């Protein structure tokens, strides 16, 4: 029984009036989205990157976790940001992206960034889970990490609890059915060669979300775990650009700077 605690740390930073919530994926750690959190923190944003319930320790802990607990851990992090910032943006990867969509449907948020997220689960994945359910096994195996860069590493559990997988399927279908409730500016980034969550289902979200501002970026040089893969720099750059674009104070200058400009004239 191997613990992932040494590879998964929550992160928070108090910065400016824009809060960034960063959500990692299913059965993996915050390491898979750490570049997001670090980049936003470096730019002075208020950042919260929680460890979702049942994650960052052992797969046995995940076995004892419900979908309600998992979602609650993300909700609590969003509420933490709401108490400290004027605007909130949610960034979600993998199943963290599904949870991010759920939060954007339930709360007012100012931006939604999704990376290789689940919108509608692919038939192959559903068939695989159903096969494990029919076998009466307690756990299902998690395959080889889907990373293009052979030098990159992602830390994850090696198995998933079947009971939670059942809940996730129902939850994901419910979120997809309510995608029209998403109104926040939307940036979707998805790898063309994502072998875990193929990009074919992205069109459903783009077509049905009620967001007035929608952007879709296809990533050509990464597989599923894109933030630890070759496209990581591009993802970070596009994410920073997107958040800057929706910040209502992006062109505001500090009073001291305005006074300096006046004196120069």
């Amino acid at each position: 029984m191997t613990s992932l605690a040494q590879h998964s740390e929550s992160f928070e930073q108090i910065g400016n009036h824009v809060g960034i919530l960063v959500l990692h994926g299913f059965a993996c750690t915050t390491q898979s989205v750490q570049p997001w959190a670090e980049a936003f923190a470096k730019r002075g944003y208020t950042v919260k990157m929680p460890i979702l319930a049942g994650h960052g320790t052992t797969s046995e802990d995940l076995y004892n976790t419900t979908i309600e607990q998992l979602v609650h851990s993300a909700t609590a992090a969003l509420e933490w940001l709401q108490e400290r910032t004027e605007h909130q943006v949610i960034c979600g990867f993998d199943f963290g992206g599904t949870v991010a969509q759920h939060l954007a449907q339930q709360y007012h948020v100012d931006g939604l960034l999704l990376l290789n997220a689940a919108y509608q689960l692919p038939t192959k994945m559903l068939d695989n889970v159903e096969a494990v359910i029919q076998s009466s096994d307690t756990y299902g195996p998690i395959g080889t990490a889907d990373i293009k860069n052979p030098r990159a590493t992602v830390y994850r559990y090696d198995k998933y609890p079947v009971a939670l997988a059942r809940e996730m399927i129902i939850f994901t279908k419910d979120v997809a059915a309510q995608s029209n409730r998403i109104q926040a500016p939307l940036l979707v980034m998805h790898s063309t060669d994502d072998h875990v969550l193929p990009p074919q289902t992205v069109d459903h979200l783009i077509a049905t979300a009620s967001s007035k501002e929608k952007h879709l970026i296809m990533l050509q040089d990464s597989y599923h775990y894109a933030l630890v893969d070759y496209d990581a720099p591009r993802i970070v750059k596009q994410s920073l650009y997107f958040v800057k674009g929706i910040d209502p104070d992006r062109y505001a200058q500090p009073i001291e700077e305005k006074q300096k400009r006046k004196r120069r004239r």
Side-chain angles (χ1 to χ4, degrees), residues 164-252:
L164 183 57
R166 282 194 186 114
E167 292 186 59
M168 288 176 57
I169 290 171
I170 296 170
F171 178 78
T172 301
K173 288 180 178 179
D174 183 58
V175 169
Q178 300 184 66
S179 57
N180 64 314
R181 296 183 62 182
I182 296 174
Q183 298 183 356
L186 176 64
L187 171 60
V188 176
M189 292 178 282
H190 212 103
S191 299
T192 56
D193 293 323
D194 186 335
H195 305 100
V196 177
L197 296 169
Q200 285 77 10
T201 62
V202 173
D203 292 340
H204 170 78
L205 177 65
I206 294 296
T208 58
S210 298
S211 310
K212 293 182 179 179
E213 181 181 343
K214 306 176 190 180
H215 305 278
L216 174 61
I217 297 175
M218 301 307 297
L219 305 171
Q220 306 296 329
D221 202 22
S222 294
Y223 295 161
H224 185 63
Y225 293 92
L227 267 171
V228 295
D229 215 331
Y230 292 121
D231 279 312
R234 184 186 181 196
I235 294 166
V236 168
K237 181 179 179 180
Q238 292 293 339
S239 300
L240 291 170
Y241 183 77
F242 176 74
V243 172
K244 182 178 180 180
I246 61 178
D247 179 2
D249 296 331
R250 63 190 179 277
Y251 299 121

Side-chain angles (χ1 to χ4, degrees), residues 255-265:
I255 295 176
E256 298 80 5
E257 183 64 26
K258 291 180 180 179
Q259 291 175 341
K260 288 179 182 179
R261 288 180 177 273
K262 287 182 180 179
R263 285 197 292 270
R264 286 173 189 153
R265 292 178 181 175

Side-chain angles (χ1 to χ4, degrees), residues 39 44 50 66 77 98 133 143 149 190 205 209 241:
T66 64
T98 308
I133 292 173
N149 184 351
H190 212 103
L205 177 65
Y241 183 77

Side-chain angles (χ1 to χ4, degrees), residues 49-139:
M49 180 178 66
I51 300 173
L52 298 178
H55 288 76
T57 52
T58 66
S59 53
E60 285 69 23
D61 285 337
L62 191 60
Y63 176 82
N64 295 312
T65 301
T66 64
I67 196 72
E68 288 81 7
Q69 292 171 324
L70 199 155
V71 173
H72 176 74
S73 58
T75 304
L78 176 60
E79 292 174 347
W80 184 92
L81 287 171
Q82 290 173 328
E83 293 172 358
R84 293 164 175 80
T85 58
E86 297 176 26
H87 310 283
Q88 295 83 42
V89 177
I90 308 178
C91 305
F93 161 68
D94 185 75
F95 186 70
T98 308
V99 176
Q101 293 171 70
H102 169 74
L103 293 178
Q105 293 168 3
Q106 305 299 321
Y107 294 84
H108 169 80
V109 297
D110 298 278
L112 179 62
L113 287 80
L114 303 174
L115 173 63
N116 291 342
Y119 313 107
Q120 293 176 313
L121 295 177
T123 302
K124 182 179 180 181
M125 177 181 289
L126 294 174
D127 290 344
N128 289 341
V129 173
E130 183 61 29
V132 176
I133 292 173
Q134 294 300 323
S135 71
S136 299
D137 289 340
T138 304
Y139 290 94

